[in-house]
Amino acid sequence: LYFTPDGRYAIVVAEARDRLDFRDPHTMALEHPLPVVCPGVDHMDFSADGTYLIASCEFSGQLLKVDVATQQVVGTLSLGSSRDQPQDVKLSPDGRVFYVADQYAGGIWEVDGADFKVTGFLPTGAGAHGLYPSRDAKDLYVSNRTAGSISVVDFATRSVVATWPLPAE
């Protein structure tokens, strides 16, 4: 469940139905179901100005760009290979880079949202899945499920500055 930055819509990610459901945020009444062309639509984040969102498609190795005002898909971007499994999506604090965790590739893709193209890749660890910005907006924490670690990415340098192994049970 996501909310548009202007609060006008709640967006339910209806992964099993291959669509994004734009709903009234107060009543949850369906206003516009948006079918998507990729299986496993999963996570998303919005551009800094809220005009578009980028959503991951876990089972096709793709991303979608959706115009929020028209509620239409305006672009599809394939990552490194069809085996990639993009998961969480987060916009950098400066609004310039979307980071996309890729469970299969073991790291995070850097995506220019305006031009909708891949600009880089940072290896973080096997099973990269969740992305969490630090409260001071200086770092991005990447949960690496398979590796059993957390990678710390410095937003300013766009580099991994630490990897914290998780203790075995």
Side-chain angles (χ1 to χ4, degrees), residues 21-119:
D21 288 342
F22 286 77
R23 294 179 174 272
D24 179 291
H26 304 287
T27 66
M28 294 306 285
L30 181 61
E31 297 211 4
H32 180 247
L34 175 61
V36 297
V37 296
C38 62
V41 65
D42 205 359
H43 301 270
M44 68 176 71
D45 202 0
F46 296 87
S47 61
D49 64 5
T51 59
Y52 65 91
L53 65 85
I54 292 182
S56 63
C57 296
E58 180 177 2
F59 305 126
S60 68
Q62 297 175 304
L63 303 176
L64 298 177
K65 184 174 182 179
V66 175
D67 182 295
V68 173
T70 64
Q71 300 172 13
Q72 295 298 315
V73 174
V74 295
T76 303
L77 176 65
S78 293
L79 296 173
S81 81
S82 62
R83 294 188 308 182
D84 285 322
Q85 295 178 334
Q87 304 293 317
D88 207 357
V89 179
K90 289 288 184 283
L91 182 65
S92 64
D94 65 7
R96 294 182 182 174
V97 178
F98 283 87
Y99 289 94
V100 181
D102 190 324
Q103 193 165 257
Y104 177 80
I108 55 175
W109 296 98
E110 297 172 319
V111 175
D112 177 320
D115 292 335
F116 206 37
K117 65 179 183 179
V118 172
T119 58

Side-chain angles (χ1 to χ4, degrees), residues 1-13:
L1 176 64
Y2 295 86
F3 293 89
T4 56
D6 64 5
R8 185 169 179 197
Y9 297 101
I11 302 175
V12 174
V13 178

